[in-house]
Amino acid sequence: MDPQVAASLSQWATESNSAVFISLVSGETADGVVKALRTDLAADCMPEDDEDGADVIQFHPAFTYPIYGEHERIFGYKGLRIQLSYAAGSLATLLEVDYAKRIEQMDSTLAVPLKADDVDGPMRSVLAQNICSTREEFAQRVALDTQEFRPIGQKVHEYKAIGEAGGNEQLRYEIYESGFESSEFRAYHERMQTLVLFFIEGAQFIDMGDERWRVFTVFERLDVNGVASYSLVGFCTMYRFYHWPDRKRPRISQFLILPPFQGHGHGSSLYRFIYSMVLASPEYADLSVEDPSEAFDDMRDRNDMRYLLKHKAFDHIKCAPVSRSDIVELQRKFKLSLRQMTRCLEIALLQKIKSESSQEFRQLRLFIKKRIYAQNTDLLQDLDADDKKQKVAESFAAVIDDYRRILSLI
């Protein structure tokens, strides 16, 4: 293709992550909501308080490749804006697509007709059915839900924390447990599940026909003129596997705190509650996590270590090596996966060591290297002896650096 033509066509390509705007909307009146929706928030994506009591919190997705392809680009538009608005509590949904120009509207000298990508269809394919069709319908639903929506399921925990707007005021947050045996919650989850595609890499929709799933939702509760108003903060899906002979092994699958609420401790509050529930229930063997992200691993490590140190889990262990039977005993008592318990034990052993020149550090180094080698036998078996030693040594150094970083955070 001629370079000038290619450069001209590139002007019609839009990064889909930047083109999609997600909004959480609340408001006491439909007129106030409509007015707030008309406000252009594209410049800073920050919360906007309307004088009529409407509130819009806007942000971009981290991923759109499940919807618009692996390159996350949309061709054929200038000034493209894909507005996905949710009622903050009920997640009633409105999809609006707007653009300044579309390529079919322009004259072209190319032999092949130019066609803009379908924007509306791919997005609707991942949304719940029966979304709102007009801005006015959505605004009426938001105004009603701000007054009347209540979280679905059983309230299992509440806590207070500083709100996303900052300041010193502590707001109230509530955690609810739900399952797909509830048709009302299935309908709610259909609206909520789209969010995992935007913020969890590699996420897929879960099977709502399987009642072994449990879902924990976190809501911010505000009192608006004496009436409780709820906004979704985040959620976690947990699958309960069978554990022989008569117990269950829960596994966290999807774990998401929405971007406006991140950085305020909500992920830790939700994780700590789920872990405490597993610890307290005799039907649960231990808690595991499916393909955790680095951010989740960090959060889990901090919270697990704080709990284990507070409960003196490692006080009786002076130095490495530690027998597998002792690790298994710890794992069963504190109901973490064997891999996570081993990791926490290694962090705790490092914390006890005063100097890298000590015998205790040399013993820990050998202990960790043996574990690294055992976990990576398939990758190391084709290397010669010197290369194996180098790879294991490099892995050990990275592990120690990571452990020190975790210790600096607890």
Side-chain angles (χ1 to χ4, degrees), residues 191-353:
R191 300 191 291 275
M192 186 172 70
Q193 67 181 352
T194 305
L195 295 168
V196 304
L197 302 180
F198 292 132
F199 298 106
I200 301 179
E201 189 168 9
Q204 296 179 336
F205 292 163
I206 62 177
D207 179 10
M208 289 191 288
D210 191 338
E211 294 186 359
R212 285 174 291 185
W213 286 104
R214 304 305 294 171
V215 183
F216 299 89
T217 47
V218 184
F219 289 89
E220 180 183 80
R221 173 175 172 163
L222 296 175
D223 287 327
V224 180
N225 296 329
V227 178
S229 178
Y230 290 89
S231 298
L232 180 69
V233 171
F235 59 93
C236 169
T237 60
M238 185 182 81
Y239 193 80
R240 298 170 298 174
F241 288 92
Y242 170 73
H243 182 271
W244 188 88
D246 57 358
R247 304 174 79 188
K248 297 172 183 173
R249 171 167 281 158
R251 185 177 71 183
I252 291 173
S253 177
Q254 300 162 336
F255 193 102
L256 174 63
I257 301 299
L258 296 179
F261 299 97
Q262 292 175 8
H264 300 281
H266 298 298
S268 289
S269 293
L270 178 56
Y271 176 78
R272 285 197 300 266
F273 167 73
I274 292 172
Y275 180 46
S276 69
M277 178 196 67
V278 171
L279 280 172
S281 175
E283 75 168 333
Y284 290 141
D286 55 51
L287 178 65
S288 61
V289 182
E290 178 185 0
D291 297 330
S293 67
E294 291 184 7
F296 183 92
D297 271 338
D298 267 9
M299 182 271 294
R300 177 172 57 156
D301 286 344
R302 293 196 306 271
N303 284 285
D304 287 347
M305 285 301 301
R306 286 169 183 155
Y307 182 89
L308 293 168
L309 293 174
K310 178 181 178 181
H311 290 82
K312 305 182 185 304
F314 309 113
D315 281 13
H316 65 291
I317 300 175
K318 301 306 179 184
C319 62
V322 181
S323 69
R324 179 177 174 83
S325 62
D326 286 343
I327 299 174
V328 169
E329 183 178 348
L330 282 169
Q331 183 254 334
R332 288 175 176 170
K333 179 179 179 180
F334 291 100
K335 294 188 176 183
L336 295 173
S337 68
L338 187 60
R339 190 183 188 100
Q340 179 66 2
M341 179 53 73
T342 302
R343 178 177 172 84
C344 291
L345 170 63
E346 292 173 355
I347 294 173
L349 290 172
L350 179 63
Q351 186 184 45
K352 294 173 183 282
I353 294 173

Side-chain angles (χ1 to χ4, degrees), residues 65-80:
Y65 64 84
I67 303 162
Y68 294 116
E70 62 178 333
H71 298 297
E72 296 182 323
R73 296 181 72 82
I74 300 170
F75 175 75
Y77 303 88
K78 290 185 178 180
L80 178 63

